[in-house]
């Protein structure tokens, strides 16, 4: 599949080893007081894969993502990213080594424009320090322009040209989800972590989002973890799906396998008619 | 020749470079040029000694207020200790100049660095505390510093304070107001420019991100606590630098002016001027300093009239009252401060006479 809207240079000009992402979650347990949010979770994500996680509300999907991105500190188990043990590393450190994410409840900066939000994500890719910044040296100016170009490519890719200078707070919900994807991509993550990117979207917005995610994964080889409620979307775009229920992974496999797994049907789907 | 841009009725930018400029039009740049020429070429010559003294004070306070706005307005970290940080700069400069024999041009920036270090120490609680709690922690800083300035007599001269030798720069004596005017406003222009630069780069963006949502800032790869400390350091540097200028300007310092009241005045300045606005910080300083002068003249005048001594005595505490009133009115009617008023006036002008 070829991108019609041009080719963001962060994808085309990066060396494959700079985009390599191998995530390994082993035996992960996370407790909040008496509540066990995650219990003995195993999950692997290979380079270039799109892995989806589904499960009813409160199943622990967001908790897993928060553990992977350093917001929560699991009590037991390991998470390794490209061979490095990452439990205990802070979120900003994890962002720097290539884990970028979106949030279930959108954590954009509503008072800033779309562009400023995305510029923030370039923070770790800006090389200059305080001294150079304070004098706004030529090198700083050039770097700012370089980042602006990268962002414009992403804005083209996500078809957000018309809103680039609008305040995020003034955008409809579905559009904000798209902006948040744009901001996460601007982080240039090796592993893109998406928490319910389709929530609250209209059908058209969902279709656009599916197009973007499929293109990212298939054309640009973006490794992704996707947490999603909408079964039909998950089943159509993922090759591998993990199902969570009450903090336990009850099944994992191809969409077909998962759909017909008796425990999944019982726990999550209630009755099978929903997925037919 | 390049086509000059006045008031475009849309965005006519043709390069990403243009989005990085401080002024989006040549008109803005022209006005800034004119203001700087007026400031340096005209103000010191037409002002009376008294007016020049007030203007110089505005310049000194403006440097500190710009710094404080970086911390409060841009990074969202409250400091009730800036009066003391200003004092640390003043004392550091005075001590460097008298005991260390440092020349003016070295003593002032070093005093800024000393103050930055002190500010960072009192910024440490920001690792865990936010909002009101941080406010109280920095208040402790204010009192600790005041205490040290009074009690450490061997270094600070206690309540007597220190006499500061008159400053010389490149062999020019800065003992008169006009010469000092150029030093103050030279520094002011330079440091304001630096603040604007910081804001339009990744440093300022990180500050704003921390102010608006520190969780998401972490997710953007911004190490929140180091950046908070950086903001405390920069902001206290500005305060200390201004304090050092103040010490050399007044030539004699005691601990007394660097009290909590000064800290509160600084906060009043940037709230009235506009949080998160560099020009706003300056407007706020002009407003507060002018208000101070007007009120103290009013008191003095009524005292001298004799008949109204009673009125004068009642009017003296009015200053605090007017302050409070001004802040409350601004928060209610124009929470974005004088900077916003200025923006509205300007855009009305721009649209005139078609201001529908
Ligand atoms: N910060 C927290 N403090 C206490 N309990 C939490 C916290 N985060 C999640 N939980 C609990 O963990 C469980 C899993 O929640 P979550 O991961 O948000 O589920 P999901 O994203 O699958 O809907 C829930 O029971 C929730 O109440
Ligand atoms: Mg969730």
């Amino acid at each position: 599949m070829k991108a019609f809207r041009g080719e963001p240079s962060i994808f085309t000009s990066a060396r494959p080893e700079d985009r390599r992402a191998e995530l390994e979650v082993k035996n992960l347990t996370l407790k909040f007081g008496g509540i066990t949010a995650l219990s003995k979770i195993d999950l692997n994500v290979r380079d270039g894969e799109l892995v989806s996680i589904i499960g009813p509300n409160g199943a622990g999907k967001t908790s897993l993502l928060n553990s992977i991105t350093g917001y929560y500190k699991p009590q037991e188990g390991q998470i390794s990213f490209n061979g490095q043990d990452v439990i205990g590393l802070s979120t900003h450190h994890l962002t720097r080594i290539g884990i970028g994410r979106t949030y279930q409840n959108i954590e954009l900066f509503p008072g800033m424009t779309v562009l400023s939000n995305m510029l923030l994500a370039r923070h770790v890719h800006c090389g200059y320090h305080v001294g150079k910044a304070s004098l706004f040296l030529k090198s700083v100016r050039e770097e700012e322009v370089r980042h602006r170009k990268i962002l414009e490519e992403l804005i083209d890719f996500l078809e957000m040209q018309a809103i680039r200078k609008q305040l995020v707070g003034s955008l409809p919900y579905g559009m904000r989800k798209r902006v948040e994807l744009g901001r996460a991509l601007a982080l240039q993550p090796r592993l893109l972590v998406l928490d319910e990117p389709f929530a609250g979207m209209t059908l058209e917005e969902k279709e656009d989002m599916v197009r973007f995610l499929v293109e990212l994964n298939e054309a640009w080889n973006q490794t992704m973890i996707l947490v999603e409620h909408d079964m039909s979307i998950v089943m159509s775009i993922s090759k591998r799906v993990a199902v969570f229920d009450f903090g336990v992974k009850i099944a994992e496999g191809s969409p077909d396998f998962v759909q017909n797994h008796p425990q999944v049907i019982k726990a999550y789907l209630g009755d099978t008619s929903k997925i037919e | 020749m390049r086509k000059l841009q006045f008031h475009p009725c849309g965005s006519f930018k043709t390069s990403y470079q243009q989005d990085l400029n401080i002024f989006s039009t040549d008109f803005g740049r022209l006005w800034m040029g004119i203001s700087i020429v007026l400031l340096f070429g005209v103000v010191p010559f037409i002002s009376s000694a008294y007016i020049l003294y007030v203007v110089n004070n505005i310049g000194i306070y403006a440097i500190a207020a710009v710094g404080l706005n970086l911390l409060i307005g841009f990074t969202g970290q409250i400091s009730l200790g800036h009066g003391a940080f200003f004092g640390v700069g003043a004392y550091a400069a005075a001590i460097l100049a008298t005991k260390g024999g440092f020349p003016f041009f070295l003593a002032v920036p070093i005093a800024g660095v000393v103050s930055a270090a002190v500010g960072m120490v009192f910024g440490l609680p920001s690792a865990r505390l936010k909002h009101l709690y941080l406010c109280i922690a920095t208040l402790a800083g204010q009192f600790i510093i005041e205490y040290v300035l009074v009690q450490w007599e061997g270094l600070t001269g206690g309540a007597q304070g220190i006499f500061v030798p008159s400053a010389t720069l490149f062999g020019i004596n800065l003992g008169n107001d006009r010469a000092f005017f150029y030093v103050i406003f030279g520094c002011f222009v330079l440091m304001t420019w630096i603040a604007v630069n910081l804001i339009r780069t990744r440093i300022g963006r990180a500050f704003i991100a921390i102010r608006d949502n520190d969780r998401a800032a972490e997710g953007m790869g911004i190490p929140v606590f180091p950046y908070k400390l950086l903001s405390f350091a920069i902001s206290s540097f500005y305060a200390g630098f201004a304090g050092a200028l103040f010490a050399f300007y007044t030539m004699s310092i005691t601990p007394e002016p660097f009290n909590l009241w000064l800290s509160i005045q600084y906060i009043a300045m940037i709230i009235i001027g506009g949080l998160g606005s560099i020009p706003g910080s300056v407007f706020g300083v002009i407003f507060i300093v002018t208000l101070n002068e007007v009120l103290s003249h009013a008191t003095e005048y009524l005292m001298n009239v004799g008949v109204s001594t009673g009125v004068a005595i009642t009017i003296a505490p009015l200053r605090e009252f007017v302050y409070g009133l001004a802040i409350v009115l601004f928060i209610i009617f124009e929470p974005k401060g004088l900077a916003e008023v200025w923006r509205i006036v300007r855009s009305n002008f721009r649209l005139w006479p078609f201001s529908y």
Side-chain angles (χ1 to χ4, degrees):
Chain A
M1 191 166 121
K2 180 126 171 60
F4 171 71
R5 299 177 298 282
E7 315 188 332
S9 57
I10 55 170
F11 301 133
T12 51
S13 62
R15 295 172 306 168
E17 63 265 34
D18 289 335
R19 302 195 59 214
R20 197 175 72 89
E22 302 270 349
L23 182 80
E24 221 165 291
V25 176
K26 251 196 246 150
N27 203 24
L28 199 72
T29 299
L30 172 73
K31 293 189 177 122
F32 296 104
I35 304 170
T36 305
L38 295 171
S39 117
K40 300 199 185 340
I41 299 289
D42 291 307
L43 187 76
N44 289 340
V45 182
R46 302 265 150 264
D47 191 27
E49 255 189 328
L50 192 170
V51 174
S52 294
I53 302 173
I54 58 172
N57 259 327
K61 307 179 297 292
T62 300
S63 299
L64 178 67
L65 300 193
N66 282 346
S67 306
I68 293 170
T69 52
Y71 286 104
Y72 291 165
K73 303 278 171 271
Q75 283 83 4
E76 275 171 49
Q78 285 113 41
I79 303 175
S80 79
F81 182 63
N82 287 338
Q84 184 184 1
D85 191 4
V86 296
I87 287 189
L89 296 185
S90 52
T91 301
H92 65 84
H93 190 143
L94 290 165
T95 306
R96 208 159 347 121
I97 63 173
I99 304 182
R101 73 172 288 184
T102 67
Y103 301 81
Q104 187 171 345
N105 300 314
I106 306 189
E107 304 264 4
L108 287 166
F109 298 91
M112 296 186 196
T113 62
V114 170
L115 253 178
S116 315
N117 266 279
M118 293 176 71
L119 258 175
L120 265 174
R122 299 305 297 171
H123 184 86
V124 295
H125 301 283
C126 292
Y128 55 82
H129 51 71
V130 189
K132 280 186 175 170
S134 65
L135 302 175
F136 210 69
L137 297 182
K138 195 157 167 281
S139 61
V140 174
R141 187 181 281 270
E142 282 165 0
E143 206 174 332
E144 290 288 312
V145 170
R146 184 170 70 82
H147 290 302
R148 176 70 189 272
K149 282 190 183 129
I150 290 171
L151 296 185
E152 289 293 341
E153 290 167 358
L154 286 172
I155 286 172
D156 277 349
F157 176 73
L158 296 175
E159 299 164 4
M160 303 194 297
Q161 297 89 341
I163 56 162
R164 62 159 79 76
K165 294 230 167 143
Q166 281 187 36
L167 293 184
V168 165
S170 70
L171 296 174
Y173 193 82
M175 211 45 168
R176 289 188 215 180
K177 285 268 176 193
R178 192 189 290 191
V179 174
E180 209 187 16
L181 173 66
R183 191 181 65 172
L185 287 178
L187 290 168
Q188 233 173 306
R190 292 159 177 266
L191 173 66
L192 178 62
V193 177
L194 303 171
D195 199 348
E196 306 206 6
F198 299 96
M201 282 188 161
T202 63
L203 189 63
E204 287 79 11
E205 287 167 340
K206 282 184 183 173
E207 284 169 0
D208 282 335
M209 189 59 117
V210 166
R211 198 156 48 84
F212 298 140
L213 295 187
V214 169
E215 187 171 331
L216 276 169
N217 183 240
E218 292 183 0
W220 304 122
N221 213 24
Q222 177 70 55
T223 316
M224 279 190 242
I225 302 185
L226 170 69
V227 161
E228 187 43 55
H229 246 78
D230 193 321
M231 289 290 288
S232 56
I233 292 176
V234 171
M235 295 307 173
S236 64
I237 67 175
S238 343
K239 303 216 169 46
R240 195 148 59 83
V241 180
V243 188
F244 282 31
D245 192 23
F246 291 112
V248 182
K249 188 177 82 178
I250 55 173
E252 183 184 338
S254 67
D256 268 344
F257 171 78
V258 166
Q259 271 174 335
N260 298 315
H261 196 286
Q263 236 180 318
V264 176
I265 294 168
K266 198 168 137 240
Y268 183 68
L269 302 167
D271 62 318
T272 45
S273 60
K274 266 192 187 161
I275 52 160
E276 298 306 2
Chain B
M1 201 186 99
R2 188 173 66 99
K3 196 166 176 295
L4 288 178
Q5 291 256 316
F6 291 101
H7 290 318
C9 48
S11 177
F12 287 96
K13 288 171 182 153
T14 50
S15 78
Y16 297 144
Q17 283 262 11
Q18 290 174 340
D19 253 1
L20 295 171
N21 293 338
I22 298 177
F23 297 102
S24 53
T25 59
D26 292 303
F27 204 51
R29 228 159 283 143
L30 178 71
W31 270 115
M32 180 48 82
I34 291 174
S35 326
I36 287 185
V37 168
L38 286 180
L39 178 68
F40 286 96
V42 179
V43 171
F45 299 100
I46 58 161
S47 308
S48 67
Y50 167 68
I51 295 286
L52 199 55
Y53 166 79
V54 174
V55 169
N56 279 346
N57 271 307
I58 288 177
I60 290 172
Y61 288 129
I63 292 174
V66 165
L68 186 62
N69 218 335
L70 285 178
L71 182 68
I72 300 185
F74 287 92
T75 323
Q77 307 299 303
I78 299 178
S79 164
L80 264 180
H82 256 63
F85 300 153
F86 185 80
V88 168
Y91 269 91
I95 292 162
L96 285 168
T98 51
K99 302 217 160 110
F102 278 78
F104 173 76
F105 79 97
L106 281 180
V108 174
I110 295 175
V113 171
V114 170
S115 184
V118 173
M120 271 169 89
V121 170
F122 289 105
L124 286 175
S126 68
R128 301 229 159 248
L129 305 180
K130 277 188 198 173
H131 315 305
L132 214 47
Y133 303 97
L134 180 61
C135 199
I136 298 300
T138 56
L139 182 63
Q142 169 74 37
F143 288 131
I144 292 169
I145 292 171
E146 270 185 54
Y147 180 81
V148 169
L149 292 185
V150 177
Q151 298 299 326
W152 195 354
E153 289 191 14
L155 195 66
T156 67
Q160 260 98 52
I162 303 176
F163 283 99
V164 187
S166 90
T168 52
L169 190 62
F170 308 126
I172 303 163
N173 188 349
L174 301 179
N176 69 72
D177 283 350
R178 194 175 294 163
F180 219 95
F181 171 92
Y182 284 101
V183 173
I184 291 173
F185 281 90
C187 293
F188 166 73
V189 169
L190 181 70
M191 291 178 80
T192 307
W193 178 69
I194 287 177
V196 170
N197 285 343
L198 286 174
I199 289 161
R200 56 181 172 154
T201 57
R202 74 166 183 156
I203 312 293
R205 290 196 292 267
F207 287 167
I208 295 169
I210 291 168
R211 176 193 72 190
D212 288 352
N213 183 344
D214 51 1
R215 232 175 85 86
E218 277 271 331
M220 296 297 100
I222 297 162
V224 170
F225 179 51
Y227 267 90
K228 283 181 183 172
L229 281 189
L230 178 66
S231 185
F232 267 100
I234 294 173
S235 166
S236 316
F237 179 85
Y238 275 69
F241 194 99
L245 289 178
F246 177 81
F248 278 107
Y249 186 51
T250 57
M251 296 177 69
S252 136
I253 52 169
T254 58
E256 196 235 336
F258 312 119
N259 55 14
L260 181 59
W261 178 230
L262 182 60
S263 291
I264 291 172
Q265 287 196 61
Y266 273 129
I267 292 180
M269 286 170 185
I270 62 170
I271 289 179
I272 290 173
L275 288 172
S277 159
I278 295 294
S281 332
V282 182
F283 296 150
V285 173
I286 295 172
F287 182 88
I288 294 280
V289 172
T290 313
L291 183 69
N292 268 338
E293 293 301 321
V294 168
L295 288 175
S296 68
H297 273 277
T299 328
E300 210 173 292
Y301 174 76
L302 291 174
M303 284 280 202
N304 290 341
V305 173
V307 211
S308 48
T309 317
V311 183
I313 288 167
T314 42
I315 231 179
L318 199 64
R319 186 141 87 179
E320 281 81 351
F321 176 76
V322 173
Y323 262 77
L325 192 67
I327 295 183
V328 169
L329 290 179
F330 266 103
I331 289 174
I332 295 174
F333 294 109
E334 194 47 85
K336 287 179 180 168
L338 287 167
E340 185 67 8
V341 176
W342 168 239
R343 200 191 60 76
I344 293 167
V345 168
R346 224 177 31 176
S347 62
N348 280 347
F349 258 102
R350 181 174 306 174
L351 297 174
W352 189 87
F354 304 111
S355 52
Y356 43 80

